[in-house]
């Protein structure tokens, strides 16, 4: 006798309508890491794109060599630098200092961001639902 899991079939990330369509960025979307770095601070992105930012501090290190993603212009051969909180917020599509509340530490702010959805990704996944539900544009 075979047992089948019974559950209500609803939307999940794999079957959202329009999920496989091409992503069209808005003009305001920052598409490279260099776009997200603080201006006029001598910070240079070592990578164009970065891996997923999670709640763990080590998630900011890139590739197998565990390289830090930012190079400081005066220290070209140095170990690099972490992303600042305001830069991580830009990566997620948020305004700088969005998580700068309640005297949260840098690690606490990264934990909040690590549990969040990026604004452009959420916009991409949820925008086709406008065709199925009544809404004001």
């Amino acid at each position: 006798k075979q047992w089948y899991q019974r559950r209500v079939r609803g939307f999940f990330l794999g079957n959202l309508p329009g999920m496989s369509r091409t992503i069209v960025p808005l003009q305001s979307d920052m598409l490279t890491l260099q776009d997200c770095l603080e201006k006029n601070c001598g910070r240079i992105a070592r990578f164009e794109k970065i891996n997923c930012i999670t709640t763990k501090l080590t998630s900011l290190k890139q590739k197998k060599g565990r390289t830090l993603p930012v190079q400081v212009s005066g220290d070209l051969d140095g170990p690099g630098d972490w992303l600042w909180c305001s830069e991580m917020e830009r990566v997620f599509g948020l305004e700088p200092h969005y998580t700068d509340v309640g005297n949260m530490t840098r690690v606490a702010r990264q934990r909040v961001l690590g549990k969040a959805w990026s604004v452009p990704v959420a916009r991409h996944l949820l925008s086709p639902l406008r065709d199925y539900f009544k809404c004001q544009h």
Side-chain angles (χ1 to χ4, degrees):
K1 193 173 186 180
Q2 291 183 345
W3 294 93
Y4 295 98
Q5 180 182 11
R6 288 185 169 188
R7 65 183 174 125
V8 177
R9 299 285 177 194
F11 288 124
F12 60 94
L13 294 181
N15 73 352
L16 283 172
M19 185 175 147
S20 60
R21 74 191 190 292
T22 304
I23 297 174
V24 180
L26 297 179
Q27 232 177 358
S28 61
D29 288 344
M30 297 183 184
L31 302 178
T32 65
L33 180 57
Q34 187 64 47
D35 295 339
C36 298
L37 298 182
E38 291 289 339
K39 309 294 184 238
N40 304 318
C41 289
R43 296 171 63 75
I44 302 164
R46 289 183 167 169
F47 306 98
E48 184 177 343
K49 307 274 185 203
I50 58 172
N51 296 334
C52 181
I53 296 174
T54 68
T55 59
K56 297 186 183 283
L57 185 62
T58 56
S59 71
L60 293 174
K61 292 185 175 182
Q62 305 297 302
K63 299 195 176 191
K64 291 185 181 184
R66 309 307 292 159
T67 309
L68 291 173
V70 178
Q71 172 180 314
V72 182
S73 63
D75 189 18
L76 300 179
D77 296 327
D81 195 13
W82 300 96
L83 281 176
W84 294 345
C85 291
S86 59
E87 295 167 342
M88 282 189 281
E89 291 161 345
R90 285 190 195 101
V91 167
F92 276 84
L94 302 168
E95 294 294 320
H97 306 290
Y98 186 82
T99 60
D100 192 7
V101 294
N103 294 323
M104 290 174 60
T105 65
R106 179 200 184 307
V107 173
R109 290 172 70 181
Q110 182 178 340
R111 284 188 184 133
V112 168
L113 290 169
K115 294 177 183 178
W117 283 74
S118 113
V119 173
V121 170
R123 181 178 59 234
H124 172 73
L125 291 174
L126 299 177
S127 65
L129 297 179
R130 290 184 297 190
D131 299 336
Y132 297 91
F133 300 99
K134 185 178 178 179
C135 66
Q136 297 176 353
H137 292 274

